[in-house]
């Protein structure tokens, strides 16, 4: 039983090499403060956001791609693994995807959560390696490939050659920052308070970062900040563009920074093949066109971009002998 887990800030995706994606749920836990117990995990907990009484707290155990709450992360990983395994008395090998900039302490937290959740052995793989494998890119050749993996908490940019990361850079600008900026923009501009789920829905339906207009609109509902009463209104693509414009610029600047650090021979390879976008944030409206225009390179969104990392994480078991950098075997702690 070999499992690959993309431990994302927004979603946790579990995959198996012979079965594909078998579970994808939000990385959210609902905790009852009086009873001191977890009442819901994943989709069930996500549906409670903004609708809970005071004694139920919604916890996101991961922030910026790493574990911020050890105990809740352990509960969440355990719950998802049990969903996958059912009642099988099998202790699986688990490959966990981590950001390329993670510290040793953060790595240990991830490993211990997986071990306590029942893993027989734990492997760590860097996100850019997993993303390219999941995008069906041959990374074993002496040829440069650049991937921009835009998740919920972080954007990882890396140049990979000969199964290893040559240059990498990460920024904490990603999908969650987009949501927060949309929420803040509507509050400041229109004096209406909306929830984070509404902000996420706006991002998915109305974002256009390349050539936004005012004709395409979306009706939203919230609370008037002055009267406290329910309110509805329409916002346009231009509103969303103005809300997240700064964060999109941070991502393009990070891509430029990676190019500055990349050796010339690999730059030539990248010029021929272009940039690959993966992660849920890659689906941000016309982001590929904007990056292509600003870098002067071809830019494409990988097939099933949202699940590339999880799919690539499950594929590493067939490549253990060749994946040296970015794939580390961790013995089980006793």
């Amino acid at each position: 039983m070999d499992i690959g887990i993309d431990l994302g800030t927004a979603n946790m995706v579990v995959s198996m090499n012979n079965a594909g994606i078998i579970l994808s749920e939000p990385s959210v836990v609902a905790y009852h403060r009086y009873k001191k117990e977890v009442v819901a995990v994943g989709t069930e907990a996500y549906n409670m956001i903004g609708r809970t009484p005071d004694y139920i707290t919604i916890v996101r155990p991961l922030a910026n791609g790493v574990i911020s709450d050890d105990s809740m992360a352990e509960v969440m990983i355990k719950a998802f693994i049990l969903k996958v395994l059912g009642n099988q008395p099998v202790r699986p090998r688990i490959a966990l995807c981590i950001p390329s900039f993670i510290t040793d302490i953060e790595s240990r937290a991830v490993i211990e959560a997986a071990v306590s959740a029942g893993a027989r052995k734990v492997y760590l793989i860097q996100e850019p390696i997993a993303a390219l494998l999941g995008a069906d890119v041959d990374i074993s050749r002496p040829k440069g490939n650049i991937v921009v993996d835009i998740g919920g908490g972080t954007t990882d940019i890396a140049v990979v050659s000969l199964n290893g990361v040559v240059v990498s850079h990460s920024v904490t600008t990603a999908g969650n920052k987009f949501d927060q900026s949309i929420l803040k923009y509507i509050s400041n501009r229109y004096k209406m308070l909306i929830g984070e789920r509404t902000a996420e829905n706006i991002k998915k339906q109305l974002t256009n970062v390349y050539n936004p207009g005012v004709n395409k609109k979306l009706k939203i509902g919230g609370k008037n900040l002055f009267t406290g009463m329910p309110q509805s209104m329409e916002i346009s693509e231009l509103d969303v563009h103005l809300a997240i414009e700064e964060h999109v610029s941070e991502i393009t600047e990070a891509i430029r920074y990676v190019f500055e650090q990349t050796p010339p021979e690999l730059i030539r390879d990248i010029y021929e093949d272009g940039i690959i976008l993966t992660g849920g944030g890659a689906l941000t409206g016309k982001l590929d066109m904007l990056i292509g225009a600003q870098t002067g390179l071809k830019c494409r969104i990988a097939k099933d971009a949202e699940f590339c990392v999880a799919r690539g994480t499950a594929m590493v078991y067939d490549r253990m002998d060749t994946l040296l950098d970015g794939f580390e075997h961790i013995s089980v702690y006793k």
Side-chain angles (χ1 to χ4, degrees):
M1 181 70 74
D2 294 332
I3 294 174
I5 297 178
D6 175 13
L7 203 59
T9 305
N11 292 285
M12 182 167 161
V13 185
V14 182
S15 61
M16 289 184 185
N17 202 11
N18 59 346
I21 305 300
I22 53 177
L23 183 142
S24 175
E25 294 197 23
S27 303
V28 182
V29 177
Y31 181 73
H32 198 300
R33 290 192 290 114
Y34 296 162
K35 295 182 179 179
K36 298 193 182 303
E37 64 182 31
V38 172
V39 295
V41 177
T43 302
E44 189 181 349
Y46 179 79
N47 291 333
M48 296 180 182
I49 292 176
R51 298 184 170 99
T52 59
D54 291 342
Y55 53 83
I56 294 181
T57 305
I58 301 297
V59 181
R60 293 185 181 272
L62 293 109
N64 301 329
V66 295
I67 291 177
S68 57
D69 189 322
D70 293 358
S71 59
M72 289 296 108
E74 188 178 316
V75 168
M76 184 179 72
I77 293 171
K78 267 186 183 176
F80 287 148
I81 289 175
L82 285 172
K83 276 189 181 183
V84 171
L85 296 181
N87 296 321
Q88 296 181 54
V90 179
R91 296 186 69 203
R93 292 192 300 176
I94 296 179
L96 282 162
C97 196
I98 55 170
S100 52
F101 66 96
I102 196 170
T103 66
D104 290 342
I105 293 171
E106 290 165 342
S107 294
R108 178 64 68 89
V110 172
I111 294 158
E112 290 182 347
V115 171
S116 65
R120 183 172 83 251
K121 287 183 180 178
V122 181
Y123 301 86
L124 300 184
I125 180 170
Q126 293 183 3
E127 266 181 38
I129 296 283
L132 284 170
L133 286 175
D136 297 321
V137 176
D138 183 3
I139 60 173
S140 64
R141 295 158 53 201
K143 184 175 183 179
N145 298 284
I146 186 167
V147 62
V148 180
D149 181 57
I150 309 170
T154 59
T155 294
D156 275 330
I157 305 138
V159 175
V160 175
S161 176
L162 288 170
N163 291 315
V165 175
V166 180
V167 180
S168 68
H169 183 55
S170 295
V171 290
T172 57
T173 300
N176 290 352
K177 283 272 182 78
F178 291 170
D179 298 345
Q180 293 162 15
S181 294
I182 291 168
L183 194 151
K184 186 178 178 182
Y185 175 87
I186 291 173
S187 174
N188 292 339
R189 176 80 186 271
Y190 296 110
K191 310 305 177 191
M192 187 173 83
L193 188 64
I194 60 171
E196 59 179 275
R197 290 185 64 184
T198 302
E200 184 180 6
N201 186 48
I202 292 168
K203 177 188 71 179
K204 288 179 177 178
Q205 293 196 43
L206 207 59
T207 304
N208 180 347
V209 297
Y210 185 62
N211 53 359
V214 294
N215 294 326
K216 187 177 179 181
K217 296 185 177 181
L218 181 70
K219 189 173 183 179
I220 60 170
K223 182 172 77 172
N224 187 291
L225 284 173
F226 293 130
T227 65
M229 298 298 288
Q231 178 184 348
S232 67
M233 60 172 292
E234 287 188 335
I235 61 169
S236 69
E237 281 183 344
L238 187 59
D239 287 314
V240 181
H241 173 71
L242 292 172
I244 68 173
E245 184 179 19
E246 182 182 346
H247 295 312
V248 173
S249 296
E250 288 172 8
I251 291 174
T252 55
E253 283 300 316
I255 294 170
R256 286 196 185 98
Y257 173 80
V258 170
F259 280 136
E260 289 171 5
Q261 310 301 315
T262 303
E265 292 294 338
L266 296 180
I267 284 282
R268 188 182 69 177
D269 298 336
I270 292 166
Y271 184 79
E272 292 173 2
D273 295 342
I275 301 168
I276 300 170
L277 298 185
T278 63
L283 306 177
T284 301
K286 298 189 179 180
L287 181 60
D288 56 329
M289 295 173 69
L290 178 73
I291 292 174
Q294 294 201 356
T295 60
L297 298 173
K298 292 180 289 186
C299 184
R300 68 178 177 90
I301 301 170
K303 183 182 178 183
D304 286 336
E306 198 172 353
F307 300 119
C308 272
V309 171
R311 195 165 57 246
T313 304
M315 292 167 66
V316 297
Y317 293 104
D318 298 332
R319 295 167 169 80
M320 285 189 183
D321 295 334
T322 55
L323 284 174
L324 302 177
D325 186 21
F327 192 71
E328 177 184 357
H329 171 230
I330 309 296
S331 59
V332 176
Y333 296 99
K334 300 192 177 180

